[in-house]
Amino acid sequence: MVENRKFIIIGVFCLVGLIYAARLFYLQILDDSYSLESSSNSIKRVIEIPYRGQIYDRNGKLLVYNTPVYDLYVTPKRVKIPDTTAFCKMMDITRPEFDSIMAIAKAYSPLKPSVFLRQLSKEDYARIQDALVDYRGFEPMMSSMRTYPAHTLSNALGYVSEISKKALDNQEIPYYRQGDYVGHNGLEEQYEKELRGRRGIKYVMQNVRGVVKGSFKDGEYDTAAVAGKSLYTSIDVDVQQYADSLMQNRVGSVIALDPNTGEILASVSAPTYDPNLLSSRYFSKNYRKLVKDPYKPLINRPIMASYRPGSTFKLIQALIAQQQGSLYPNMVYGHAGSPMRCHCRGGNNLRGAVRFSCNPYFYNVFRKYIYHNGNPNTFKASAIGLKEWHDQVVKFGIGQKLGLDLPYEKAGNLPTVSTYDKLYKGENRWKFSNIYSLSIGEGELLISPLKLANLAAIMANRGWYITPHYVKGIGQIGEGVPDTYKEKHYTDIDRQYYLPVIEGMRMAVMAGTVKKEADIAGIDLCGKTGTAQNAKFGHKHDHSIFIGFAPMNNPKIAIAVFVENAGWGGTAAASTAALVVERYLKRKTEATKLQNWLMQQNYMPPLSMLPKPREAKKPADTSGQKATPKLQKDSLRRPRPMMTQVSPAEKSIVGGN
């Protein structure tokens, strides 16, 4: 028995020994993978960066493509430069620049390669290619540079630049290396994973001087790079460029969408910049210049700026009051008893009140809504009514992020009962007289242009919307679009209540608050104007707002326009919107008289109107890359017809009615 057990143990040991011997034979004789690691002096592992996916408009026109360039990397420990002055001259850099770059490279790692020079053109690389053999420690790598042939949509597209150290350290799954490019802001950041592709690895043989002598084993161990997926947007680049031209010498935004699909057709943030400025070797210099610009072109105003909506908000008041049963289309209100002034004569029904934007009318509508289910003599009634009001308004997407496919969308502000409890330091310490400015879109309301374009889409659809979005396809048109951008969201307002309001909107364009020339033949535009007061600088600098859709029946486009410091809402904003709508529907401009008048106007505010500049924070890394400027949270305050201009550190807050 004992003898048998001894043979079993010996057999087990022999079997284990044979397994180890067989494994060692495979690793040392048959498997070449470890020989790759041991042959680092003769075999070089080259990372192949894939081409980033291209970006197209809805009609297949290129918005972004890749231009081949070269990046030059340096490994400080291996560097050997016989003549530094000659080397700097060859590289077209100064000696201080050379010393600074080398210091940064050594601080990162003496043994790992890091970027020495970015985005050398094919011509520049050809000029230095042969000479590089004499300088150990430097190696080129094929790369690409984003190119923007349409020269538009910079704020929505974003840009590509070197990944920051913080982002590098915070990767959940290691992918990026020091010096890699990554999308920042806009679509480049939102769809980074789809656009970046998958990098490849190539093994090449080299001699002792680092000169490549060919691939290793005919590329048996190579893995090919996979290009990123192309992104098809819903942008109509022709309409986008036209809207850009109309917003020259303006501060504000234009955002247009297809109400049937939620697809964004045009997205203008003014003033803007040529996206090619942030796609070159001079990224840092150009970025710093844009940051210092007092008009803040880096702010993506359609989604990041927050305004008081002014009279455009009256549309929501009219709808929810009808649904509640406190307003009927033929109900008439005069001006008596209202603390608000108005430019019309009063005595309007609902259609007329929308047509002429009657402030006292909507003061009474809001008052009756708030007190519909309570005693107007009690504080509690205001709280009960305001809660019901809030719960209805929020269904229009107000006071929350809509969830579009861009980073840094701002939620804005829709006040609640707790808002006023906090503002007036306790419950039952405020009443209707403290909140009535909400009736005409004033007070604590803050809404982005995107939200008002979405409101226009809700009006066009008579009660529903699809979340606004830029993507129309990933890889191919119609593919890869998330389901969230196909789902309808309902406001729970009966369709019948939209009809008198829409009739009033059409009347406003035909013979109401809109400039006569903006009622362009064949467009059938329905709209609502808003004029946000800017009393601090005089009413000639009020802010012009317009939302609308067209045609009245079977709408194809919804739009919101903000033009700061442009005065009456029915002039600058309404005219801009009408021309953009005409261009989209007719594919040409027939209202040339209106176009010529509008383009002659200059609404840029003088520098004296802008807030004092704040000292900008330094970039997180030496490449000059910087994240989107952060905006302060909206502060609670009493209604004031004033505006704070957008800046890198704060949000634009516009008051008005």
Side-chain angles (χ1 to χ4, degrees):
M1 193 73 168
V2 175
E3 193 71 23
N4 290 338
R5 189 177 298 170
K6 180 176 73 173
F7 286 118
I8 291 173
I9 293 173
I10 292 173
V12 168
F13 275 103
C14 290
L15 180 61
V16 171
L18 286 172
I19 292 172
Y20 270 102
R23 180 60 178 165
L24 287 172
F25 176 81
Y26 173 78
L27 293 176
Q28 294 181 11
I29 306 300
L30 301 179
D31 187 5
D32 287 324
S33 60
Y34 283 88
S35 69
L36 288 175
E37 301 297 330
S38 64
S39 303
S40 59
N41 290 327
S42 59
I43 300 174
K44 181 181 177 183
R45 183 174 180 264
V46 179
I47 301 295
E48 289 193 320
I49 305 297
Y51 275 115
R52 200 169 174 85
Q54 300 185 136
I55 302 179
Y56 298 85
D57 86 334
R58 67 187 299 109
N59 299 312
K61 294 182 179 179
L62 264 177
L63 296 175
V64 188
Y65 68 90
N66 304 293
T67 299
V69 291
Y70 292 86
D71 293 336
L72 189 62
Y73 283 75
V74 61
T75 306
K77 193 73 173 178
R78 296 180 55 207
V79 167
K80 186 175 181 181
I81 302 177
D83 187 342
T84 304
T85 302
F87 179 80
C88 291
K89 185 177 180 180
M90 180 182 72
M91 294 295 176
D92 194 22
I93 59 175
T94 64
R95 180 60 187 265
E97 288 175 332
F98 171 82
D99 293 337
S100 175
I101 295 170
M102 290 302 297
I104 293 168
K106 290 176 182 176
Y108 166 65
S109 173
L111 301 174
K112 295 180 181 179
S114 59
V115 178
F116 183 82
L117 280 182
R118 282 285 193 198
Q119 297 176 336
L120 295 169
S121 66
K122 290 186 290 185
E123 294 75 17
D124 286 337
Y125 177 65
R127 178 174 54 82
I128 67 172
Q129 183 177 12
D130 293 337
L132 275 179
V133 177
D134 298 324
Y135 299 97
R136 288 179 52 190
F138 294 91
E139 55 183 338
M141 186 173 293
M142 191 76 172
S143 184
S144 63
M145 179 178 72
R146 296 299 251 178
T147 304
Y148 305 86
H151 305 277
T152 187
L153 205 67
S154 55
N155 300 88
L157 287 173
Y159 57 90
V160 174
S161 68
E162 186 178 340
I163 189 170
S164 67
K165 186 178 186 306
K166 182 179 180 181
L168 201 62
D169 295 339
N170 292 339
Q171 295 183 83
E172 293 183 6
I173 301 175
Y175 176 84
Y176 299 102
R177 306 166 304 148
Q178 177 75 17
D180 279 353
Y181 291 125
V182 66
H184 293 282
N185 303 340
L187 296 172
E188 293 280 16
E189 179 174 333
Q190 184 74 23
Y191 293 99
E192 167 66 17
K193 289 183 179 179
E194 291 81 4
L195 289 169
R196 74 187 182 190
R198 189 179 70 224
R199 65 165 58 100
I201 300 174
K202 184 178 181 180
Y203 295 96
V204 297
M205 296 184 294
Q206 61 183 14
N207 62 19
V208 292
R209 302 190 68 187
V211 177
V212 174
K213 294 297 183 181
S215 63
F216 175 73
K217 288 208 168 184
D218 295 324
E220 182 180 344
Y221 299 99
D222 297 350
T223 55
V226 179
K229 294 181 179 179
S230 291
L231 186 67
Y232 290 86
T233 72
S234 56
I235 294 294
D236 186 320
V237 71
D238 294 331
V239 176
Q240 173 72 29
Q241 290 173 325
Y242 182 64
D244 270 339
S245 70
L246 296 177
M247 289 299 286
Q248 294 296 312
N249 299 315
R250 316 277 196 272
V251 175
S253 60
V254 176
I255 186 157
L257 51 86
D258 183 339
N260 300 293
T261 62
E263 295 172 355
I264 295 173
L265 305 170
S267 179
V268 177
S269 180
T272 188
Y273 61 93
D274 187 337
N276 291 292
L277 288 175
L278 298 184
S279 182
S280 71
R281 292 176 57 186
Y282 308 104
F283 173 92
S284 297
K285 181 177 72 173
N286 291 336
Y287 188 90
R288 286 193 295 268
K289 185 177 180 181
L290 291 171
V291 166
K292 292 178 181 178
D293 189 322
Y295 295 104
K296 309 306 174 190
L298 289 173
I299 295 292
N300 189 6
R301 286 174 169 83
I303 68 168
M304 295 178 68
S306 289
Y307 300 83
R308 289 173 179 166
S311 294
T312 59
F313 193 75
K314 294 172 182 175
L315 301 177
I316 295 179
Q317 303 285 36
L319 292 169
I320 64 175
Q322 288 183 91
Q323 185 71 38
Q324 186 194 50
S326 58
L327 175 65
Y328 301 96
N330 293 325
M331 191 174 286
V332 176
Y333 286 115
H335 288 181
S338 170
M340 295 180 171
R341 294 177 297 174
C342 190
H343 47 75
C344 74
R345 295 180 180 179
N348 293 295
N349 61 13
L350 177 56
R351 293 172 180 83
V354 173
R355 174 185 180 184
F356 295 114
S357 195
C358 182
N359 290 341
Y361 189 96
F362 286 96
Y363 166 84
N364 284 296
V365 168
F366 185 57
R367 187 177 187 277
K368 193 165 185 179
Y369 186 100
I370 294 297
Y371 290 137
H372 187 62
N373 294 313
N375 186 341
N377 297 317
T378 65
F379 288 100
K380 189 175 182 181
S382 294
I384 293 172
L386 185 66
K387 184 181 185 305
E388 181 182 348
W389 174 86
H390 175 277
D391 292 346
Q392 287 297 317
V393 174
V394 78
K395 295 176 183 177
F396 288 79
I398 310 300
Q400 58 189 303
K401 294 182 180 180
L402 289 176
L404 89 163
D405 51 347
L406 279 192
Y408 313 118
E409 178 194 357
K410 299 303 175 185
N413 188 57
L414 179 63
T416 63
V417 172
S418 61
T419 299
Y420 293 103
D421 288 344
K422 182 178 180 180
L423 185 61
Y424 291 95
K425 297 179 172 55
E427 298 180 9
N428 299 327
R429 300 190 66 176
W430 57 273
K431 53 186 177 180
F432 182 78
S433 61
N434 301 117
I435 66 171
Y436 71 78
S437 58
L438 295 174
S439 64
I440 59 170
E442 288 276 7
E444 288 66 41
L445 273 170
L446 290 172
I447 298 178
S448 67
L450 174 72
K451 303 279 180 55
L452 286 187
N454 193 56
L455 173 58
I458 291 172
M459 301 303 301
N461 294 328
R462 281 67 167 171
W464 58 269
Y465 70 93
I466 294 176
T467 301
H469 55 282
Y470 289 86
V471 65
K472 193 173 176 67
I474 300 173
Q476 292 184 10
I477 292 180
E479 293 187 0
V481 179
D483 290 338
T484 185
Y485 299 134
K486 301 175 183 177
E487 178 186 357
K488 290 183 179 180
H489 303 274
Y490 292 89
T491 60
D492 296 335
I493 304 292
D494 293 345
R495 180 185 175 87
Q496 68 190 62
Y497 298 132
Y498 284 87
L499 304 183
V501 180
I502 290 172
E503 289 173 11
M505 294 174 70
R506 178 67 189 128
M507 294 164 65
V509 177
M510 292 175 64
T513 54
V514 173
K515 182 178 176 68
K516 182 179 179 181
E517 292 78 6
D519 184 23
I520 301 173
I523 296 301
D524 205 17
L525 177 65
C526 302
K528 182 70 191 75
T529 58
T531 304
Q533 296 178 7
N534 191 15
K536 181 178 179 182
F537 297 101
H539 289 292
K540 70 176 182 178
H541 293 297
D542 283 349
H543 311 298
S544 184
I545 308 172
F546 180 86
I547 71 170
F549 64 87
M552 182 177 180
N553 299 306
N554 191 23
K556 296 290 192 300
I557 181 173
I559 191 168
V561 177
F562 283 75
V563 186
E564 298 181 10
N565 312 290
W568 190 250
T571 52
S575 299
T576 302
L579 288 167
V580 171
V581 169
E582 181 193 34
R583 176 59 66 93
Y584 179 70
L585 294 178
K586 295 183 177 181
R587 310 311 298 176
K588 61 182 178 179
T589 298
E590 295 177 348
T592 54
K593 183 178 178 180
L594 179 63
Q595 174 187 264
N596 295 338
W597 170 83
L598 186 63
M599 287 188 166
Q600 289 172 4
Q601 309 306 308
N602 187 337
Y603 298 117
M604 290 298 283
L607 291 175
S608 59
M609 289 180 59
L610 303 182
K612 293 181 180 180
R614 302 186 181 189
E615 186 176 346
K617 295 181 180 180
K618 293 181 179 179
D621 66 323
T622 55
S623 69
Q625 166 203 327
K626 193 171 184 177
T628 299
K630 293 185 178 179
L631 306 176
Q632 290 181 343
K633 292 183 178 179
D634 305 319
S635 59
L636 297 176
R637 58 182 187 176
R638 298 175 188 273
R640 291 187 297 168
M642 295 180 63
M643 166 201 150
T644 302
Q645 295 277 5
V646 286
S647 72
E650 61 192 359
K651 189 180 288 184
S652 174
I653 303 173
V654 183
N657 53 29

